[in-house]
Amino acid sequence: MKTLRFPLLGFVAASSLVAHGAVLKPSDVVFMYQAGRSTYGEYGATVLAWGGKPTEKARAEAKGVTWFGSVGMVTEFGAYHQRFPDRYEQGLCRDIDGNPVKVPWLTDHQHQGVPYWWCCTQQPVFRQFLRDRVVETVKAGADGLHIDDHLGTAGGLWLGICFCNRCVEGFRAHLTKLPVEERTRLGVGAPESFNYRDEVKRWLAADGAKRKTTAHPLWPQWSIYQRRSAAAFMLELRELAAQTAGRPVPVGANAGLLWPGHLSDYRALDLFTAETDHHASGRRFSDLPLVAYRMAEAMGRPYAATASGGDWAYIKEKTLPGLVCGWIALSYAGGQRLMAPHHQWCYTSEKGTHWYDGPSAKFAPLYRFVRRHAVWFDDFETHADLAVVMPHRSFMKNAQRWFDLGNRLAAANVSYRLLVAGDEIVDHPLVESELKSCRALLVPERQEFLPADQRLIDDLFKSRRVFATVDDALAGVVPAVKVQAEGTVRALPRVKPGAAVVHLLNYGYDAERDDVTPLGSVQVQIDLKALGLEAARTCQWIVPDAEVASLAIRDGRVEVPRLGSWGLLAIGDPGSAASRRSTADP
Ligand SMILES: [Zn+2]
């Protein structure tokens, strides 16, 4: 195997530096936290994505389960304080006045009377703590590593941090590397003597209490610097894990992709194991998680989701496990997976941290259903009626715009893929062949691209029809799957060579009963040619709570006699020669 040499670290496999491809399969049943043997068995667990440092006993309980051990950059303040009781203050983030800053969602936590302060991942003492935690977790036998609050200091930019000496010095070095014209534009004359803390203080003082630190004109550049520093540290931790184990160690992180900025270190990650807003308090199913699932697909990394702490608090307070069942179905229908909700972290500002242990009798059968029919999940990818080009810079500026767009497409049953164009913090250029192979393209943002991507986009508009607005796309795109029913149904088609599967989700959820209202006679019109299965005349109807049935396809039309919450129209042969060839391809 080809090897690369790293200073200080000796030799390590080159593959530890690159993504390992799919470390999760679409049919995986992922646990967030550790559980007992019987609970793993009940759900059919295959992966523990956010476990602790493994012990012999815990590993034995989790036999056959791939174990990711978690290291937290924000939540482990107690252990950090314990480790460095005399020096811990050196590693704290500082606001513009030099004061430490509490972690907003851990204000109810203390260690020996010391509040949970946000710590700076640019400070050597805190870096030492994190490195040691990575080494001990890997040495204890974890198969992979999970990093919570993976952005470290950069995750607290919104709080106006961090102005510690290290951060201020590092910014000087960052500015020095910028082209002179760029520095002139930013108004930085002599970067070697530039002190951003002093500069911001002066700027704030010039306009009394009206100005906010995060509105300073250089804050966007400061944010780029902080995010790049965070990403570089994540790559260091990734290398350290691989070096410690003597093998590539897959790395996941709590990179909630609906939160702007969390893609900045994606090259250090193999998967996203992340909190994802599900808007439980809306008391209906939301299409928003699908945006995160599509973003993960665009980045070539799998997504293991959990809902937000606020979502789980709402589910617990109102006792709505039926809503969660819909979240589970949407995740797998979207090619990703909601982590088994056996023990969930809840958070509200009034109650702080508390926990939800939902009814496994309701949840576990859905996961066992996925395991039973894994062949209809694995190796399939999203069929794209439409590819949407999303410049990351635009997502950073106005994420809601992209959420609204995704939601409108989802509501119209237009199956979309995202093509993410990178920027100053996300190294992810557009791929010309990918753009050219799309059946239909929506490019709602013509600017905000890096120069090479901008050229590709400009050429695209010259050479073919490209939709510029979501209204035009909705008017011009004919979805491969159309549904007629007495209620709202989402259709999510997924394909592989020789086979297709159309997930049907019943969105008729009634919070009063915490259940969906079953639909009779759902008419599904399928463009078989678009799915690569022109010759198909029958399909299977696969649902969680009944035997597999065979249904006829007449002129592309299928009648589903009854739709409960979730069903799969399975067409073709998922184990066909065509699909075997495809999976054997390098
Ligand atoms: Zn700092």
Side-chain angles (χ1 to χ4, degrees):
M1 188 184 285
K2 201 174 150 197
T3 56
L4 290 178
R5 181 152 180 83
F6 292 95
L8 305 176
L9 292 177
F11 285 91
V12 67
S15 55
S16 71
L17 282 179
V18 295
H20 305 140
V23 296
L24 295 181
K25 288 181 175 177
S27 70
D28 267 320
V29 171
V30 181
F31 268 56
M32 187 166 168
Y33 301 130
Q34 286 157 240
R37 183 96 202 115
S38 63
T39 307
Y40 289 132
E42 190 180 6
Y43 280 84
T46 57
V47 177
L48 171 64
W50 199 316
K53 186 170 86 176
T55 62
E56 214 169 298
K57 182 171 173 285
R59 281 247 56 166
E61 294 250 3
K63 195 161 179 273
V65 173
T66 302
W67 186 300
F68 285 73
S70 181
V71 172
M73 291 190 176
V74 163
T75 53
E76 298 189 13
F77 180 81
Y80 167 63
H81 180 242
Q82 183 90 25
R83 171 81 199 284
F84 296 107
D86 303 323
R87 293 169 57 205
Y88 79 92
E89 284 179 293
Q90 291 170 16
L92 304 186
C93 283
R94 302 286 166 177
D95 67 12
I96 189 67
D97 298 316
N99 298 317
V101 174
K102 281 184 194 172
V103 179
W105 58 92
L106 296 174
T107 48
D108 54 339
H109 282 51
Q110 287 195 344
H111 184 258
Q112 294 174 351
V114 181
Y116 269 48
W117 300 118
W118 202 301
C119 298
C120 183
T121 42
Q122 307 228 43
Q123 282 290 347
V125 63
F126 189 57
R127 281 184 172 227
Q128 185 59 48
F129 169 75
L130 292 172
R131 283 199 187 96
D132 292 351
R133 287 282 294 114
V134 165
V135 168
E136 70 175 18
T137 301
V138 171
K139 279 190 173 166
D143 303 302
L145 192 64
H146 172 75
I147 306 284
D148 190 19
D149 294 300
H150 61 128
L151 300 178
T153 300
L157 280 165
W158 59 287
L159 297 167
I161 54 175
C162 166
F163 288 96
C164 78
N165 288 340
R166 282 268 168 177
C167 285
V168 173
E169 280 162 25
F171 192 44
R172 227 171 264 149
H174 170 85
L175 292 172
T176 308
K177 286 183 207 146
L178 292 180
V180 181
E181 323 75 81
E182 177 71 359
R183 284 207 303 268
T184 310
R185 194 181 65 77
L186 295 170
V188 180
E192 54 286 345
S193 59
F194 185 78
N195 184 313
Y196 189 50
R197 186 172 47 217
D198 293 348
E199 160 63 27
V200 173
K201 275 187 180 175
R202 251 195 314 274
W203 182 79
L204 289 171
D207 197 18
K210 279 190 215 147
R211 288 180 169 174
K212 281 173 113 178
T213 303
T214 52
H216 185 269
L218 274 184
W219 192 259
Q221 192 61 230
W222 171 257
S223 301
I224 291 170
Y225 149 69
Q226 287 283 7
R227 291 196 168 100
R228 283 187 186 169
S229 304
F233 185 50
M234 280 294 288
L235 276 172
E236 272 185 43
L237 294 182
R238 179 187 177 86
E239 287 170 26
L240 177 64
Q243 184 63 27
T244 304
R247 61 173 168 84
V249 174
V251 179
N254 185 6
L257 296 190
L258 299 179
W259 302 325
H262 280 257
L263 274 181
S264 52
D265 61 352
Y266 88 96
R267 284 190 175 274
L269 305 179
D270 300 271
L271 71 157
F272 307 112
T273 306
E275 289 164 73
T276 312
D277 293 332
H278 278 66
H279 294 279
S281 59
R283 300 168 72 83
R284 59 191 182 87
F285 296 144
S286 163
D287 293 308
L288 193 58
L290 199 59
V291 176
Y293 300 153
R294 295 296 187 243
M295 280 173 76
E297 183 181 48
M299 306 313 286
R301 277 125 177 100
Y303 201 99
T306 182
S308 70
D311 285 326
W312 290 118
Y314 191 86
I315 294 292
K316 180 183 170 85
E317 190 188 323
K318 307 290 181 187
T319 319
L320 298 175
L323 195 55
V324 178
C325 291
W327 300 351
I328 296 166
L330 175 66
S331 69
Y332 282 100
Q336 309 291 351
R337 69 288 298 144
L338 189 88
M339 289 187 277
H342 74 102
H343 183 61
Q344 297 310 126
W345 176 72
C346 306
Y347 182 82
T348 62
S349 49
E350 301 81 41
K351 292 181 189 167
T353 285
H354 52 296
W355 297 90
Y356 171 63
D357 292 324
S360 59
K362 235 181 148 80
F363 301 146
L366 293 174
Y367 289 94
R368 290 203 305 274
F369 167 68
V370 171
R371 296 304 299 155
R372 213 160 47 241
H373 299 283
V375 71
W376 288 107
F377 290 85
D378 292 339
D379 304 323
F380 284 81
E381 57 181 44
T382 300
H383 161 78
D385 295 317
L386 180 71
V388 182
V389 178
M390 183 176 85
H392 187 258
R393 213 188 274 157
S394 167
F395 180 71
M396 290 293 289
K397 283 184 180 170
N398 183 1
Q400 189 60 45
R401 171 188 183 184
W402 297 92
F403 299 159
D404 293 343
L405 183 151
N407 288 346
R408 286 193 66 194
L409 295 175
N413 276 333
V414 171
S415 185
Y416 68 95
R417 287 187 80 128
L418 288 175
L419 302 178
V420 174
D423 59 7
E424 293 79 1
I425 55 167
V426 173
D427 178 14
H428 193 264
L430 289 171
V431 179
E432 189 172 6
S433 58
E434 214 168 25
L435 287 168
K436 285 187 171 162
S437 66
C438 294
R439 295 151 55 91
L441 273 164
L442 169 59
V443 185
E445 172 58 64
R446 282 293 296 273
Q447 310 299 318
E448 306 292 2
F449 292 94
L450 292 176
D453 286 343
Q454 188 70 60
R455 279 193 293 277
L456 282 177
I457 292 298
D458 292 345
D459 287 348
L460 212 58
F461 272 88
K462 283 180 213 150
S463 62
R464 62 176 285 187
R465 185 178 174 215
V466 177
F467 298 112
T469 68
V470 69
D471 286 322
D472 288 349
L474 287 170
V477 170
V478 181
V481 180
K482 290 192 259 186
V483 178
Q484 269 189 318
E486 294 290 315
T488 307
V489 175
R490 294 285 187 268
L492 289 100
R494 302 185 60 73
V495 291
K496 69 187 275 190
V501 59
V502 178
H503 292 262
L504 297 178
L505 303 172
N506 183 346
Y507 263 38
Y509 173 80
D510 175 5
E512 292 305 313
R513 293 184 299 110
D514 186 39
D515 207 348
V516 297
T517 306
L519 292 167
S521 184
V522 174
Q523 304 289 331
V524 186
Q525 183 71 45
I526 304 173
D527 181 347
L528 290 167
K529 194 175 171 196
L531 301 186
L533 292 160
E534 221 168 344
R537 295 294 173 265
T538 62
C539 62
Q540 295 178 66
W541 176 235
I542 305 173
V543 294
D545 51 2
E547 293 292 309
V548 175
S550 180
L551 298 177
I553 308 177
R554 293 190 186 90
D555 299 325
R557 185 175 287 272
V558 182
E559 182 181 350
V560 173
R562 180 184 182 277
L563 175 62
S565 59
W566 175 26
L568 281 61
L569 285 172
I571 313 164
D573 177 5
S576 71
S579 60
R580 276 199 300 277
R581 254 201 317 281
S582 148
T583 49
D585 286 344

